[in-house]
Amino acid sequence: DYYRTAQQPDMVIKAGERILAVGGNQTIHGVQEVLRKTRLEVTQLSLDQKKYADAERHAQDYLMFYPGSADSKKASFISLSAAYRSQLHSQRDQQKTNTTIEQARAFLEKYP
């Protein structure tokens, strides 16, 4: 909360990643929700800070841990957006481009 109030997104990301690494006892009521919100916030901030690989990784983790969440669509879009923004130029390896296209098709099928 301090770093969020001080508008230091890099520190919010670092603190959030630490929370996710430690995790705590997930059986305690409320901890699961804190972890879910933290994972989504770190995902969004990573995208905002142009850390596309981190944003995509965190979004995929979110989708793996919380597939039925109301924020799954947002996490899917962040993952797709990060993949799109991290593509290489057309003269380079197009593996990432092809993966992004497939991811976009899957997104459109799931969320028309």
Side-chain angles (χ1 to χ4, degrees):
D1 287 339
Y2 171 78
Y3 294 124
R4 195 177 303 116
T5 304
Q7 297 181 353
Q8 296 180 7
D10 286 335
M11 291 305 295
V12 173
I13 291 170
K14 287 180 183 179
E17 287 176 339
R18 180 67 182 151
I19 289 170
L20 296 173
V22 173
N25 185 355
Q26 294 187 20
T27 60
I28 297 174
H29 180 68
V31 172
Q32 185 76 5
E33 183 63 14
V34 169
L35 293 174
R36 187 191 69 76
K37 287 180 180 179
T38 300
R39 193 174 302 278
L40 188 62
E41 181 180 22
V42 167
T43 301
Q44 182 65 56
L45 286 172
S46 295
L47 181 67
D48 295 344
Q49 294 297 306
K50 299 180 181 178
K51 298 178 179 179
Y52 302 127
D54 291 342
E56 190 173 1
R57 178 176 47 86
H58 287 302
Q60 291 300 321
D61 286 349
Y62 184 92
L63 293 169
M64 181 179 65
F65 287 117
Y66 314 104
S69 168
D71 291 320
S72 293
K73 182 177 180 179
K74 181 177 181 177
S76 293
F77 185 77
I78 290 171
S79 176
L80 178 59
S81 181
Y84 176 76
R85 294 175 186 187
S86 65
Q87 291 180 45
L88 298 173
H89 295 286
S90 61
Q91 295 85 6
R92 304 208 182 222
D93 181 20
Q94 291 301 298
Q95 178 64 32
K96 184 71 171 176
T97 302
N98 294 330
T99 304
T100 302
I101 291 170
E102 290 303 316
Q103 191 176 356
R105 286 184 180 142
F107 180 84
L108 289 174
E109 284 178 19
K110 189 170 184 176
Y111 307 105

